[in-house]
PDB file of all heavy atoms in Angstrom:
ATOM      1  N   VAL W 579      -2.739 115.079  -3.497  1.00 93.00           N
ATOM      2  CA  VAL W 579      -2.117 116.391  -3.300  1.00 93.00           C
ATOM      3  C   VAL W 579      -1.154 116.343  -2.115  1.00 93.00           C
ATOM      4  O   VAL W 579      -0.025 116.854  -2.199  1.00 93.00           O
ATOM      5  CB  VAL W 579      -3.184 117.492  -3.116  1.00 93.00           C
ATOM      6  CG1 VAL W 579      -2.568 118.770  -2.586  1.00 93.00           C
ATOM      7  CG2 VAL W 579      -3.892 117.764  -4.424  1.00 93.00           C
ATOM      8  N   THR W 580      -1.571 115.744  -1.023  1.00 91.00           N
ATOM      9  CA  THR W 580      -0.697 115.654   0.146  1.00 91.00           C
ATOM     10  C   THR W 580       0.567 114.864  -0.199  1.00 91.00           C
ATOM     11  O   THR W 580       1.682 115.273   0.155  1.00 91.00           O
ATOM     12  CB  THR W 580      -1.435 115.002   1.328  1.00 91.00           C
ATOM     13  OG1 THR W 580      -2.637 115.739   1.585  1.00 91.00           O
ATOM     14  CG2 THR W 580      -0.568 114.999   2.579  1.00 91.00           C
ATOM     15  N   PHE W 581       0.409 113.758  -0.904  1.00 94.00           N
ATOM     16  CA  PHE W 581       1.560 112.962  -1.329  1.00 94.00           C
ATOM     17  C   PHE W 581       2.492 113.793  -2.212  1.00 94.00           C
ATOM     18  O   PHE W 581       3.707 113.807  -2.010  1.00 94.00           O
ATOM     19  CB  PHE W 581       1.092 111.699  -2.065  1.00 94.00           C
ATOM     20  CG  PHE W 581       2.203 110.834  -2.550  1.00 94.00           C
ATOM     21  CD1 PHE W 581       2.906 110.028  -1.666  1.00 94.00           C
ATOM     22  CD2 PHE W 581       2.563 110.823  -3.890  1.00 94.00           C
ATOM     23  CE1 PHE W 581       3.952 109.221  -2.110  1.00 94.00           C
ATOM     24  CE2 PHE W 581       3.601 110.023  -4.341  1.00 94.00           C
ATOM     25  CZ  PHE W 581       4.296 109.220  -3.451  1.00 94.00           C
ATOM     26  N   GLY W 582       1.924 114.488  -3.185  1.00 94.00           N
ATOM     27  CA  GLY W 582       2.729 115.316  -4.085  1.00 94.00           C
ATOM     28  C   GLY W 582       3.494 116.397  -3.341  1.00 94.00           C
ATOM     29  O   GLY W 582       4.680 116.641  -3.623  1.00 94.00           O
ATOM     30  N   ILE W 583       2.842 117.032  -2.395  1.00 92.00           N
ATOM     31  CA  ILE W 583       3.509 118.083  -1.615  1.00 92.00           C
ATOM     32  C   ILE W 583       4.630 117.487  -0.765  1.00 92.00           C
ATOM     33  O   ILE W 583       5.729 118.051  -0.692  1.00 92.00           O
ATOM     34  CB  ILE W 583       2.487 118.848  -0.757  1.00 92.00           C
ATOM     35  CG1 ILE W 583       1.588 119.699  -1.664  1.00 92.00           C
ATOM     36  CG2 ILE W 583       3.180 119.729   0.277  1.00 92.00           C
ATOM     37  CD1 ILE W 583       0.380 120.300  -0.975  1.00 92.00           C
ATOM     38  N   LEU W 584       4.375 116.336  -0.139  1.00 91.00           N
ATOM     39  CA  LEU W 584       5.405 115.701   0.681  1.00 91.00           C
ATOM     40  C   LEU W 584       6.620 115.292  -0.153  1.00 91.00           C
ATOM     41  O   LEU W 584       7.759 115.365   0.319  1.00 91.00           O
ATOM     42  CB  LEU W 584       4.837 114.470   1.400  1.00 91.00           C
ATOM     43  CG  LEU W 584       3.822 114.747   2.505  1.00 91.00           C
ATOM     44  CD1 LEU W 584       3.230 113.444   3.017  1.00 91.00           C
ATOM     45  CD2 LEU W 584       4.455 115.542   3.635  1.00 91.00           C
ATOM     46  N   ILE W 585       6.379 114.872  -1.388  1.00 94.00           N
ATOM     47  CA  ILE W 585       7.473 114.438  -2.265  1.00 94.00           C
ATOM     48  C   ILE W 585       8.245 115.623  -2.839  1.00 94.00           C
ATOM     49  O   ILE W 585       9.478 115.631  -2.856  1.00 94.00           O
ATOM     50  CB  ILE W 585       6.911 113.590  -3.445  1.00 94.00           C
ATOM     51  CG1 ILE W 585       6.309 112.291  -2.933  1.00 94.00           C
ATOM     52  CG2 ILE W 585       7.956 113.318  -4.505  1.00 94.00           C
ATOM     53  CD1 ILE W 585       7.313 111.301  -2.433  1.00 94.00           C
ATOM     54  N   MET W 586       7.515 116.625  -3.317  1.00 92.00           N
ATOM     55  CA  MET W 586       8.168 117.681  -4.101  1.00 92.00           C
ATOM     56  C   MET W 586       8.547 118.943  -3.324  1.00 92.00           C
ATOM     57  O   MET W 586       9.527 119.599  -3.675  1.00 92.00           O
ATOM     58  CB  MET W 586       7.264 118.075  -5.276  1.00 92.00           C
ATOM     59  CG  MET W 586       7.095 116.964  -6.295  1.00 92.00           C
ATOM     60  SD  MET W 586       6.045 117.434  -7.676  1.00 92.00           S
ATOM     61  CE  MET W 586       7.110 118.575  -8.540  1.00 92.00           C
ATOM     62  N   ALA W 587       7.793 119.314  -2.304  1.00 88.00           N
ATOM     63  CA  ALA W 587       8.048 120.573  -1.607  1.00 88.00           C
ATOM     64  C   ALA W 587       9.450 120.673  -1.010  1.00 88.00           C
ATOM     65  O   ALA W 587      10.065 121.744  -1.108  1.00 88.00           O
ATOM     66  CB  ALA W 587       6.982 120.822  -0.540  1.00 88.00           C
ATOM     67  N   PRO W 588       9.985 119.613  -0.418  1.00 86.00           N
ATOM     68  CA  PRO W 588      11.339 119.744   0.136  1.00 86.00           C
ATOM     69  C   PRO W 588      12.397 120.140  -0.893  1.00 86.00           C
ATOM     70  O   PRO W 588      13.400 120.763  -0.546  1.00 86.00           O
ATOM     71  CB  PRO W 588      11.633 118.346   0.709  1.00 86.00           C
ATOM     72  CG  PRO W 588      10.296 117.779   1.005  1.00 86.00           C
ATOM     73  CD  PRO W 588       9.393 118.316  -0.079  1.00 86.00           C
ATOM     74  N   CYS W 589      12.167 119.814  -2.143  1.00 85.00           N
ATOM     75  CA  CYS W 589      13.117 120.194  -3.195  1.00 85.00           C
ATOM     76  C   CYS W 589      13.181 121.707  -3.388  1.00 85.00           C
ATOM     77  O   CYS W 589      14.192 122.235  -3.842  1.00 85.00           O
ATOM     78  CB  CYS W 589      12.732 119.536  -4.522  1.00 85.00           C
ATOM     79  SG  CYS W 589      12.712 117.756  -4.465  1.00 85.00           S
ATOM     80  N   PHE W 590      12.087 122.398  -3.055  1.00 79.00           N
ATOM     81  CA  PHE W 590      12.019 123.843  -3.275  1.00 79.00           C
ATOM     82  C   PHE W 590      12.262 124.644  -2.007  1.00 79.00           C
ATOM     83  O   PHE W 590      12.479 125.841  -2.070  1.00 79.00           O
ATOM     84  CB  PHE W 590      10.657 124.220  -3.858  1.00 79.00           C
ATOM     85  CG  PHE W 590      10.398 123.600  -5.196  1.00 79.00           C
ATOM     86  CD1 PHE W 590       9.614 122.469  -5.318  1.00 79.00           C
ATOM     87  CD2 PHE W 590      10.957 124.147  -6.335  1.00 79.00           C
ATOM     88  CE1 PHE W 590       9.380 121.893  -6.547  1.00 79.00           C
ATOM     89  CE2 PHE W 590      10.735 123.574  -7.575  1.00 79.00           C
ATOM     90  CZ  PHE W 590       9.949 122.449  -7.679  1.00 79.00           C
ATOM     91  N   MET W 591      12.201 124.014  -0.859  1.00 77.00           N
ATOM     92  CA  MET W 591      12.367 124.717   0.416  1.00 77.00           C
ATOM     93  C   MET W 591      13.773 124.483   0.957  1.00 77.00           C
ATOM     94  O   MET W 591      13.962 123.817   1.959  1.00 77.00           O
ATOM     95  CB  MET W 591      11.337 124.228   1.448  1.00 77.00           C
ATOM     96  CG  MET W 591       9.913 124.208   1.011  1.00 77.00           C
ATOM     97  SD  MET W 591       9.341 125.848   0.579  1.00 77.00           S
ATOM     98  CE  MET W 591       8.305 125.430  -0.804  1.00 77.00           C
ATOM     99  N   LYS W 592      14.754 125.027   0.268  1.00 77.00           N
ATOM    100  CA  LYS W 592      16.142 124.781   0.657  1.00 77.00           C
ATOM    101  C   LYS W 592      16.855 126.058   1.077  1.00 77.00           C
ATOM    102  O   LYS W 592      18.076 126.093   1.161  1.00 77.00           O
ATOM    103  CB  LYS W 592      16.895 124.117  -0.493  1.00 77.00           C
ATOM    104  CG  LYS W 592      16.396 122.721  -0.775  1.00 77.00           C
ATOM    105  CD  LYS W 592      17.268 122.029  -1.768  1.00 77.00           C
ATOM    106  CE  LYS W 592      16.767 120.612  -1.900  1.00 77.00           C
ATOM    107  NZ  LYS W 592      17.657 119.736  -2.552  1.00 77.00           N
ATOM    108  N   PHE W 593      16.099 127.095   1.331  1.00 74.00           N
ATOM    109  CA  PHE W 593      16.709 128.346   1.753  1.00 74.00           C
ATOM    110  C   PHE W 593      17.110 128.239   3.222  1.00 74.00           C
ATOM    111  O   PHE W 593      16.488 127.520   3.997  1.00 74.00           O
ATOM    112  CB  PHE W 593      15.743 129.509   1.563  1.00 74.00           C
ATOM    113  CG  PHE W 593      15.330 129.721   0.129  1.00 74.00           C
ATOM    114  CD1 PHE W 593      14.092 129.302  -0.320  1.00 74.00           C
ATOM    115  CD2 PHE W 593      16.186 130.325  -0.760  1.00 74.00           C
ATOM    116  CE1 PHE W 593      13.703 129.481  -1.629  1.00 74.00           C
ATOM    117  CE2 PHE W 593      15.819 130.523  -2.086  1.00 74.00           C
ATOM    118  CZ  PHE W 593      14.573 130.101  -2.522  1.00 74.00           C
ATOM    119  N   LYS W 594      18.111 128.957   3.595  1.00 79.00           N
ATOM    120  CA  LYS W 594      18.528 129.003   5.004  1.00 79.00           C
ATOM    121  C   LYS W 594      17.719 130.050   5.775  1.00 79.00           C
ATOM    122  O   LYS W 594      17.854 130.186   6.967  1.00 79.00           O
ATOM    123  CB  LYS W 594      20.018 129.340   5.104  1.00 79.00           C
ATOM    124  CG  LYS W 594      20.909 128.357   4.420  1.00 79.00           C
ATOM    125  CD  LYS W 594      21.034 127.100   5.226  1.00 79.00           C
ATOM    126  CE  LYS W 594      22.054 126.194   4.593  1.00 79.00           C
ATOM    127  NZ  LYS W 594      21.701 124.827   4.604  1.00 79.00           N
ATOM    128  N   ASN W 595      16.872 130.752   5.051  1.00 83.00           N
ATOM    129  CA  ASN W 595      16.090 131.836   5.627  1.00 83.00           C
ATOM    130  C   ASN W 595      14.619 131.421   5.690  1.00 83.00           C
ATOM    131  O   ASN W 595      14.040 131.030   4.676  1.00 83.00           O
ATOM    132  CB  ASN W 595      16.283 133.078   4.727  1.00 83.00           C
ATOM    133  CG  ASN W 595      15.543 134.286   5.231  1.00 83.00           C
ATOM    134  OD1 ASN W 595      14.373 134.223   5.579  1.00 83.00           O
ATOM    135  ND2 ASN W 595      16.254 135.400   5.258  1.00 83.00           N
ATOM    136  N   ARG W 596      14.015 131.508   6.865  1.00 84.00           N
ATOM    137  CA  ARG W 596      12.614 131.085   7.013  1.00 84.00           C
ATOM    138  C   ARG W 596      11.656 131.934   6.181  1.00 84.00           C
ATOM    139  O   ARG W 596      10.660 131.438   5.677  1.00 84.00           O
ATOM    140  CB  ARG W 596      12.194 131.148   8.484  1.00 84.00           C
ATOM    141  CG  ARG W 596      12.718 130.010   9.279  1.00 84.00           C
ATOM    142  CD  ARG W 596      12.140 130.035  10.655  1.00 84.00           C
ATOM    143  NE  ARG W 596      12.484 128.805  11.328  1.00 84.00           N
ATOM    144  CZ  ARG W 596      11.976 128.425  12.460  1.00 84.00           C
ATOM    145  NH1 ARG W 596      11.094 129.180  13.059  1.00 84.00           N
ATOM    146  NH2 ARG W 596      12.346 127.296  13.005  1.00 84.00           N
ATOM    147  N   PHE W 597      11.949 133.215   6.072  1.00 86.00           N
ATOM    148  CA  PHE W 597      11.079 134.085   5.287  1.00 86.00           C
ATOM    149  C   PHE W 597      11.094 133.671   3.819  1.00 86.00           C
ATOM    150  O   PHE W 597      10.041 133.605   3.179  1.00 86.00           O
ATOM    151  CB  PHE W 597      11.485 135.558   5.437  1.00 86.00           C
ATOM    152  CG  PHE W 597      10.648 136.491   4.603  1.00 86.00           C
ATOM    153  CD1 PHE W 597       9.345 136.782   4.973  1.00 86.00           C
ATOM    154  CD2 PHE W 597      11.146 137.046   3.434  1.00 86.00           C
ATOM    155  CE1 PHE W 597       8.552 137.626   4.201  1.00 86.00           C
ATOM    156  CE2 PHE W 597      10.371 137.881   2.653  1.00 86.00           C
ATOM    157  CZ  PHE W 597       9.070 138.176   3.049  1.00 86.00           C
ATOM    158  N   LEU W 598      12.264 133.382   3.277  1.00 85.00           N
ATOM    159  CA  LEU W 598      12.358 132.955   1.883  1.00 85.00           C
ATOM    160  C   LEU W 598      11.668 131.601   1.676  1.00 85.00           C
ATOM    161  O   LEU W 598      11.015 131.389   0.654  1.00 85.00           O
ATOM    162  CB  LEU W 598      13.818 132.884   1.430  1.00 85.00           C
ATOM    163  CG  LEU W 598      14.543 134.225   1.322  1.00 85.00           C
ATOM    164  CD1 LEU W 598      16.005 134.015   0.944  1.00 85.00           C
ATOM    165  CD2 LEU W 598      13.849 135.137   0.323  1.00 85.00           C
ATOM    166  N   ASP W 599      11.798 130.695   2.645  1.00 83.00           N
ATOM    167  CA  ASP W 599      11.075 129.417   2.571  1.00 83.00           C
ATOM    168  C   ASP W 599       9.566 129.654   2.566  1.00 83.00           C
ATOM    169  O   ASP W 599       8.828 128.999   1.836  1.00 83.00           O
ATOM    170  CB  ASP W 599      11.440 128.505   3.748  1.00 83.00           C
ATOM    171  CG  ASP W 599      12.668 127.666   3.483  1.00 83.00           C
ATOM    172  OD1 ASP W 599      13.038 127.501   2.298  1.00 83.00           O
ATOM    173  OD2 ASP W 599      13.257 127.164   4.457  1.00 83.00           O
ATOM    174  N   PHE W 600       9.109 130.590   3.396  1.00 84.00           N
ATOM    175  CA  PHE W 600       7.686 130.913   3.473  1.00 84.00           C
ATOM    176  C   PHE W 600       7.185 131.452   2.130  1.00 84.00           C
ATOM    177  O   PHE W 600       6.166 130.995   1.608  1.00 84.00           O
ATOM    178  CB  PHE W 600       7.450 131.936   4.591  1.00 84.00           C
ATOM    179  CG  PHE W 600       6.049 132.458   4.659  1.00 84.00           C
ATOM    180  CD1 PHE W 600       5.020 131.657   5.135  1.00 84.00           C
ATOM    181  CD2 PHE W 600       5.760 133.748   4.231  1.00 84.00           C
ATOM    182  CE1 PHE W 600       3.724 132.145   5.194  1.00 84.00           C
ATOM    183  CE2 PHE W 600       4.473 134.231   4.281  1.00 84.00           C
ATOM    184  CZ  PHE W 600       3.448 133.433   4.771  1.00 84.00           C
ATOM    185  N   VAL W 601       7.917 132.389   1.552  1.00 85.00           N
ATOM    186  CA  VAL W 601       7.519 132.967   0.260  1.00 85.00           C
ATOM    187  C   VAL W 601       7.551 131.893  -0.823  1.00 85.00           C
ATOM    188  O   VAL W 601       6.629 131.793  -1.640  1.00 85.00           O
ATOM    189  CB  VAL W 601       8.428 134.166  -0.115  1.00 85.00           C
ATOM    190  CG1 VAL W 601       8.167 134.640  -1.532  1.00 85.00           C
ATOM    191  CG2 VAL W 601       8.234 135.308   0.877  1.00 85.00           C
ATOM    192  N   ALA W 602       8.583 131.069  -0.809  1.00 86.00           N
ATOM    193  CA  ALA W 602       8.675 129.990  -1.801  1.00 86.00           C
ATOM    194  C   ALA W 602       7.508 129.023  -1.653  1.00 86.00           C
ATOM    195  O   ALA W 602       6.945 128.552  -2.646  1.00 86.00           O
ATOM    196  CB  ALA W 602      10.006 129.249  -1.656  1.00 86.00           C
ATOM    197  N   SER W 603       7.099 128.743  -0.420  1.00 86.00           N
ATOM    198  CA  SER W 603       5.992 127.798  -0.214  1.00 86.00           C
ATOM    199  C   SER W 603       4.675 128.364  -0.722  1.00 86.00           C
ATOM    200  O   SER W 603       3.850 127.626  -1.263  1.00 86.00           O
ATOM    201  CB  SER W 603       5.877 127.406   1.263  1.00 86.00           C
ATOM    202  OG  SER W 603       5.397 128.480   2.046  1.00 86.00           O
ATOM    203  N   ILE W 604       4.470 129.666  -0.567  1.00 87.00           N
ATOM    204  CA  ILE W 604       3.232 130.286  -1.051  1.00 87.00           C
ATOM    205  C   ILE W 604       3.114 130.135  -2.567  1.00 87.00           C
ATOM    206  O   ILE W 604       2.018 129.958  -3.092  1.00 87.00           O
ATOM    207  CB  ILE W 604       3.164 131.779  -0.642  1.00 87.00           C
ATOM    208  CG1 ILE W 604       2.914 131.888   0.856  1.00 87.00           C
ATOM    209  CG2 ILE W 604       2.092 132.528  -1.415  1.00 87.00           C
ATOM    210  CD1 ILE W 604       2.965 133.300   1.387  1.00 87.00           C
ATOM    211  N   ILE W 605       4.237 130.158  -3.249  1.00 89.00           N
ATOM    212  CA  ILE W 605       4.224 130.062  -4.708  1.00 89.00           C
ATOM    213  C   ILE W 605       4.275 128.608  -5.182  1.00 89.00           C
ATOM    214  O   ILE W 605       3.519 128.208  -6.066  1.00 89.00           O
ATOM    215  CB  ILE W 605       5.397 130.874  -5.301  1.00 89.00           C
ATOM    216  CG1 ILE W 605       5.189 132.362  -4.982  1.00 89.00           C
ATOM    217  CG2 ILE W 605       5.531 130.640  -6.798  1.00 89.00           C
ATOM    218  CD1 ILE W 605       6.392 133.228  -5.208  1.00 89.00           C
ATOM    219  N   THR W 606       5.147 127.804  -4.576  1.00 91.00           N
ATOM    220  CA  THR W 606       5.356 126.453  -5.100  1.00 91.00           C
ATOM    221  C   THR W 606       4.281 125.445  -4.697  1.00 91.00           C
ATOM    222  O   THR W 606       3.951 124.560  -5.487  1.00 91.00           O
ATOM    223  CB  THR W 606       6.731 125.897  -4.693  1.00 91.00           C
ATOM    224  OG1 THR W 606       6.842 125.910  -3.273  1.00 91.00           O
ATOM    225  CG2 THR W 606       7.850 126.690  -5.320  1.00 91.00           C
ATOM    226  N   ILE W 607       3.730 125.553  -3.506  1.00 90.00           N
ATOM    227  CA  ILE W 607       2.740 124.552  -3.050  1.00 90.00           C
ATOM    228  C   ILE W 607       1.516 124.536  -3.959  1.00 90.00           C
ATOM    229  O   ILE W 607       1.076 123.457  -4.369  1.00 90.00           O
ATOM    230  CB  ILE W 607       2.369 124.779  -1.567  1.00 90.00           C
ATOM    231  CG1 ILE W 607       3.618 124.668  -0.730  1.00 90.00           C
ATOM    232  CG2 ILE W 607       1.224 123.877  -1.135  1.00 90.00           C
ATOM    233  CD1 ILE W 607       3.883 123.489   0.091  1.00 90.00           C
ATOM    234  N   PRO W 608       0.926 125.683  -4.323  1.00 90.00           N
ATOM    235  CA  PRO W 608      -0.201 125.613  -5.265  1.00 90.00           C
ATOM    236  C   PRO W 608       0.187 125.023  -6.624  1.00 90.00           C
ATOM    237  O   PRO W 608      -0.613 124.315  -7.243  1.00 90.00           O
ATOM    238  CB  PRO W 608      -0.652 127.069  -5.412  1.00 90.00           C
ATOM    239  CG  PRO W 608      -0.197 127.742  -4.176  1.00 90.00           C
ATOM    240  CD  PRO W 608       1.086 127.053  -3.802  1.00 90.00           C
ATOM    241  N   ILE W 609       1.399 125.297  -7.078  1.00 91.00           N
ATOM    242  CA  ILE W 609       1.843 124.737  -8.358  1.00 91.00           C
ATOM    243  C   ILE W 609       1.988 123.222  -8.244  1.00 91.00           C
ATOM    244  O   ILE W 609       1.518 122.468  -9.112  1.00 91.00           O
ATOM    245  CB  ILE W 609       3.168 125.398  -8.815  1.00 91.00           C
ATOM    246  CG1 ILE W 609       2.929 126.881  -9.133  1.00 91.00           C
ATOM    247  CG2 ILE W 609       3.761 124.669 -10.017  1.00 91.00           C
ATOM    248  CD1 ILE W 609       4.190 127.693  -9.335  1.00 91.00           C
ATOM    249  N   ILE W 610       2.604 122.765  -7.166  1.00 93.00           N
ATOM    250  CA  ILE W 610       2.750 121.323  -6.943  1.00 93.00           C
ATOM    251  C   ILE W 610       1.377 120.660  -6.857  1.00 93.00           C
ATOM    252  O   ILE W 610       1.131 119.628  -7.483  1.00 93.00           O
ATOM    253  CB  ILE W 610       3.573 121.050  -5.658  1.00 93.00           C
ATOM    254  CG1 ILE W 610       5.030 121.496  -5.849  1.00 93.00           C
ATOM    255  CG2 ILE W 610       3.496 119.580  -5.261  1.00 93.00           C
ATOM    256  CD1 ILE W 610       5.839 121.531  -4.559  1.00 93.00           C
ATOM    257  N   ALA W 611       0.487 121.266  -6.070  1.00 91.00           N
ATOM    258  CA  ALA W 611      -0.857 120.704  -5.907  1.00 91.00           C
ATOM    259  C   ALA W 611      -1.563 120.591  -7.254  1.00 91.00           C
ATOM    260  O   ALA W 611      -2.169 119.560  -7.566  1.00 91.00           O
ATOM    261  CB  ALA W 611      -1.677 121.556  -4.935  1.00 91.00           C
ATOM    262  N   GLN W 612      -1.466 121.627  -8.067  1.00 91.00           N
ATOM    263  CA  GLN W 612      -2.130 121.607  -9.368  1.00 91.00           C
ATOM    264  C   GLN W 612      -1.556 120.527 -10.279  1.00 91.00           C
ATOM    265  O   GLN W 612      -2.301 119.834 -10.967  1.00 91.00           O
ATOM    266  CB  GLN W 612      -2.023 122.981 -10.037  1.00 91.00           C
ATOM    267  CG  GLN W 612      -2.844 123.105 -11.285  1.00 91.00           C
ATOM    268  CD  GLN W 612      -4.329 122.947 -11.023  1.00 91.00           C
ATOM    269  OE1 GLN W 612      -4.845 123.442 -10.044  1.00 91.00           O
ATOM    270  NE2 GLN W 612      -5.027 122.237 -11.895  1.00 91.00           N
ATOM    271  N   LEU W 613      -0.251 120.382 -10.263  1.00 92.00           N
ATOM    272  CA  LEU W 613       0.368 119.343 -11.091  1.00 92.00           C
ATOM    273  C   LEU W 613      -0.139 117.949 -10.722  1.00 92.00           C
ATOM    274  O   LEU W 613      -0.392 117.121 -11.595  1.00 92.00           O
ATOM    275  CB  LEU W 613       1.892 119.383 -10.938  1.00 92.00           C
ATOM    276  CG  LEU W 613       2.613 120.533 -11.627  1.00 92.00           C
ATOM    277  CD1 LEU W 613       4.089 120.540 -11.236  1.00 92.00           C
ATOM    278  CD2 LEU W 613       2.462 120.433 -13.129  1.00 92.00           C
ATOM    279  N   TRP W 614      -0.294 117.699  -9.435  1.00 94.00           N
ATOM    280  CA  TRP W 614      -0.707 116.374  -8.977  1.00 94.00           C
ATOM    281  C   TRP W 614      -2.200 116.119  -9.159  1.00 94.00           C
ATOM    282  O   TRP W 614      -2.611 114.960  -9.226  1.00 94.00           O
ATOM    283  CB  TRP W 614      -0.285 116.153  -7.524  1.00 94.00           C
ATOM    284  CG  TRP W 614       1.186 115.844  -7.448  1.00 94.00           C
ATOM    285  CD1 TRP W 614       2.206 116.743  -7.468  1.00 94.00           C
ATOM    286  CD2 TRP W 614       1.788 114.562  -7.400  1.00 94.00           C
ATOM    287  NE1 TRP W 614       3.418 116.088  -7.423  1.00 94.00           N
ATOM    288  CE2 TRP W 614       3.186 114.746  -7.373  1.00 94.00           C
ATOM    289  CE3 TRP W 614       1.298 113.264  -7.355  1.00 94.00           C
ATOM    290  CZ2 TRP W 614       4.083 113.689  -7.310  1.00 94.00           C
ATOM    291  CZ3 TRP W 614       2.189 112.210  -7.281  1.00 94.00           C
ATOM    292  CH2 TRP W 614       3.572 112.425  -7.264  1.00 94.00           C
ATOM    293  N   VAL W 615      -3.019 117.167  -9.226  1.00 92.00           N
ATOM    294  CA  VAL W 615      -4.467 116.932  -9.402  1.00 92.00           C
ATOM    295  C   VAL W 615      -4.889 116.866 -10.855  1.00 92.00           C
ATOM    296  O   VAL W 615      -6.001 116.424 -11.150  1.00 92.00           O
ATOM    297  CB  VAL W 615      -5.353 117.968  -8.664  1.00 92.00           C
ATOM    298  CG1 VAL W 615      -5.077 117.988  -7.195  1.00 92.00           C
ATOM    299  CG2 VAL W 615      -5.247 119.341  -9.270  1.00 92.00           C
ATOM    300  N   ILE W 616      -4.034 117.268 -11.768  1.00 92.00           N
ATOM    301  CA  ILE W 616      -4.410 117.293 -13.186  1.00 92.00           C
ATOM    302  C   ILE W 616      -4.972 115.951 -13.671  1.00 92.00           C
ATOM    303  O   ILE W 616      -6.031 115.936 -14.302  1.00 92.00           O
ATOM    304  CB  ILE W 616      -3.241 117.793 -14.067  1.00 92.00           C
ATOM    305  CG1 ILE W 616      -3.110 119.311 -13.917  1.00 92.00           C
ATOM    306  CG2 ILE W 616      -3.448 117.430 -15.532  1.00 92.00           C
ATOM    307  CD1 ILE W 616      -1.904 119.902 -14.622  1.00 92.00           C
ATOM    308  N   PRO W 617      -4.336 114.820 -13.398  1.00 93.00           N
ATOM    309  CA  PRO W 617      -4.917 113.561 -13.900  1.00 93.00           C
ATOM    310  C   PRO W 617      -6.327 113.287 -13.352  1.00 93.00           C
ATOM    311  O   PRO W 617      -7.203 112.835 -14.096  1.00 93.00           O
ATOM    312  CB  PRO W 617      -3.935 112.488 -13.416  1.00 93.00           C
ATOM    313  CG  PRO W 617      -2.678 113.206 -13.130  1.00 93.00           C
ATOM    314  CD  PRO W 617      -3.044 114.598 -12.741  1.00 93.00           C
TER     315      PRO W 617
END
């Protein structure tokens, strides 16, 4: 999960606004984590 987040999260956190990055992280990090734990 940590590896998956380190690889994929930067692709989604590209806003110039910290608040938007924060909101995006709340939504995308659980999705990324779930994708990587499925196997």
